[in-house]
Every structure is written in C-alpha cells, then in structure tokens.
Amino acid sequence: MAQDDWPSRDITVIMPYAAGGGTEPLTQAYIRELSEILGANLIIDYRPGGSGSIGTGMAIRADADGYTLGVISNGTVAMSPLTIPDLPWDGNDDYTAIVKLAEMPGILAVQGKSDFQTLEDFVDYARANAGNVHATTSGQLTPSGLTVETLNEMAGLDIVAIPTSGGGEAITQLMGGHVDANFAFGPSIRGQVASGDVRPIVSFSDTPYEFFPGVPMASEYGYDIDIGVKYYIIAPKDLPQDITDKLVAASQQAVASERFQTFLADGGYVPPEPLTPEEIITELEGETTFYRQMLEVIGQEPLI
C-alpha cells in the first residue's frame, strides 16, 4: 500500500559494528544529510557481533515499512553467507539495496614506535616468529581477516588473526601493545596516525591510497592483494515501491551533497561511483564471486 505520509516517525539505522571504528562516523554523516532531506529523525542502533551478521540479520528481518535501514559492508553480505551457517539471508535478493556510501582499502598498521618500517620488515619478523605474531582484525573472516589469511598463504606465514568487534577495539589493542599489528582501515586509525602513535606501512589496494601519501601498495612487494571494504545502505525485502523510490532518491542526494563528499575526502573514505540499486546488487554479486575465490586460495571451502 502507498504511504504518502512516509516518513511520519523516527527511522532506525542499524549499525552492525561497535562504536569507535570507521563505520560510525560514516553512518553519522549519512543520517545527518538524510534527516535534513526527509525532514525526519534518524537514530543509530548499534548491534555488533558475528562479524556484522547479527545486526545485518536484524535489518533484513525488520518490517518492510521504511522505518528500519541497515548499514552493511561487502564482507557482511557477500562473504558471511559463504562462511557462517544458518544466517537469515543467503543471497543478494533477500534485501533491498538503497545506496552505496563509500569504500576503504585495507591498511597494515603498527605502533608508531615499532621497528617495522616496511612490509618486508613485518614479513621477515613474522616468518622468523611463526605462530607468535598477532594482528587484530575487524572480525573473523571479514575483509581485514581475509587479508591476514591471504598474506599468510602468499608469504608462507603464520600470523595469528585476533578478531574484534570493530575498528575501535582493534586499534585499542594495538595501542596497548597486546598485538604486533592491526589490519585496519584508514578512517579508524586517522587520529592515531596524525598523533604519531600508529604508523601505516602498506595498503592492500590496486591504486595508491591518497589519504596516506607515500604508503606503498602490497603489490610493490610482490603480494597482489586488493581487499578492501565497501559500505552500503539496505532495507528489508519487499519494501513498498513508493517508499523505495523516495528513499533511494533522498539517499543519492545525501551522498552526492557537497558536505558528505567533503566528509569522505577529509575522513579517508574513497568516494563511490553513483550506483543504482540494480548496479549495487551486480557489484555485490561480483564481490561474492571474489570472496569465494579468495576462500579457495586460503583452503577454506565456501558453504554455498
């Protein structure tokens, strides 16, 4: 049924990661723009756990009335069904794609006082101390977790990945000296990099990461690893078409706004190409294919 008065109450945006990482400010910037465009109040509901699958499942299972949205990543919707059994979704046709928010390449970061100056330094140390080098990730078998396993496979290492609830906890463990490195993303470590407490030593992308000038790509050391995170907004499946159209148009306007684009550039996020909902689904299907191939590289059989 058409809902000409939508939105007439608060809209909840479920964030499936803990506060303090790179997802939180991105979500806040989006809802600030969208609330002004729609004239509605938007509220973030933090639901971390399960490498993002708990909150994502809640967003997908919510009533399809336009009052619950979800922030999701390529790792959550494209890889989790391949690695986590009994999820409330198993494909890209189980939700409604709304808009793409941003991208972030993976980063290997160490403490500012660390002796590791290059990826070669880190690899040499990890090879000489197999099983005794620990690195935090944003979750088990997330893009950052998969980066650890891929580097292990390519370089013959045994780095122990320590999954956390998100970027905030991951950087806290690095700062506290509990781990040797953090497989991170730029926005979640920007403050610590600026203060000199954390140093990025390599990016896992196929193009230079301009937010950290001078940081080399892993391919420059012979490791062709291009794994990053992409963020999107979704809604439950079967959202009424009139609400979908309004939400997509308003979200595209929000992401294209000068203030949001400035936020992305200043915060270390890579601005996305404008995509329609159909193009988002096509992109995520490609991500699923990519993650299936990467899981095979590290010797893990995809569940589906």
Side-chain angles (χ1 to χ4, degrees):
M1 295 179 63
Q3 297 187 30
D4 295 333
D5 62 342
W6 181 89
S8 60
R9 55 186 172 89
D10 293 351
I11 298 173
T12 297
V13 181
I14 297 176
M15 195 180 86
Y17 310 101
T23 318
E24 182 180 35
L26 179 65
T27 304
Q28 291 172 337
Y30 165 73
I31 68 173
R32 181 178 61 218
E33 301 298 329
L34 191 64
S35 65
E36 291 186 6
I37 294 168
L38 293 177
N41 188 38
L42 281 83
I43 302 170
I44 299 179
D45 183 6
Y46 298 88
R47 299 286 181 162
S51 298
S53 63
I54 293 176
T56 299
M58 292 180 64
I60 289 175
R61 292 193 304 267
D63 292 337
D65 56 9
Y67 292 101
T68 303
L69 307 177
V71 183
I72 59 97
S73 72
N74 52 334
T76 304
V77 297
M79 184 163 67
S80 291
L82 304 177
T83 60
I84 302 176
D86 303 321
L87 291 175
W89 81 97
D90 57 18
N92 298 313
D93 57 351
D94 289 332
Y95 54 85
T96 301
I98 302 299
V99 73
K100 184 176 182 179
L101 296 180
E103 298 187 17
M104 299 187 294
I107 294 289
L108 175 58
V110 298
Q111 284 192 344
K113 61 185 180 182
S114 170
D115 292 333
F116 303 132
Q117 298 294 325
T118 67
L119 179 60
E120 286 180 335
D121 293 340
F122 182 74
V123 167
D124 288 346
Y125 181 83
R127 187 172 287 128
N129 296 273
N132 292 310
V133 174
H134 299 79
T136 45
T137 71
S138 58
Q140 188 174 17
L141 289 177
T142 58
S144 59
L146 185 59
T147 303
V148 176
E149 300 305 330
T150 304
L151 183 60
N152 277 341
E153 180 68 23
M154 287 187 172
L157 307 178
D158 187 19
I159 301 167
V160 180
I162 307 297
T164 66
S165 61
E169 181 186 348
I171 194 64
T172 298
Q173 291 211 32
L174 176 63
M175 296 281 289
H178 304 295
V179 294
D180 303 284
N182 176 19
F183 283 75
F185 300 98
S188 64
I189 61 174
R190 56 179 298 203
Q192 292 81 6
V193 172
S195 67
D197 293 322
V198 168
R199 185 173 65 252
I201 60 174
V202 73
S203 70
F204 298 98
S205 57
D206 58 3
T207 57
Y209 185 34
E210 296 180 359
F211 190 63
F212 293 143
V215 173
M217 298 175 290
S219 58
E220 297 178 48
Y221 295 97
Y223 303 105
D224 189 13
I225 304 174
D226 179 17
I227 301 178
V229 66
K230 302 174 182 178
Y231 286 113
Y232 311 83
I233 296 294
I234 63 166
K237 185 179 179 180
D238 298 326
L239 190 67
Q241 191 60 52
D242 60 327
I243 294 179
T244 299
D245 293 343
K246 290 179 183 178
L247 188 54
V248 168
S251 294
Q252 290 175 340
Q253 181 181 343
V255 171
S257 70
E258 182 178 353
R259 184 167 61 175
F260 188 82
Q261 290 292 313
T262 299
F263 161 80
L264 293 180
D266 291 345
Y269 303 88
V270 178
E273 292 292 328
L275 298 179
T276 66
E278 293 76 18
E279 289 170 334
I280 290 173
I281 294 301
T282 298
E283 180 169 271
L284 287 170
E285 288 174 347
E287 291 290 305
T288 298
T289 299
F290 170 77
Y291 285 128
R292 182 176 285 110
Q293 293 171 343
M294 295 307 295
L295 288 171
E296 291 172 353
V297 166
I298 67 174
Q300 178 160 335
E301 183 71 23
L303 295 178
I304 57 175

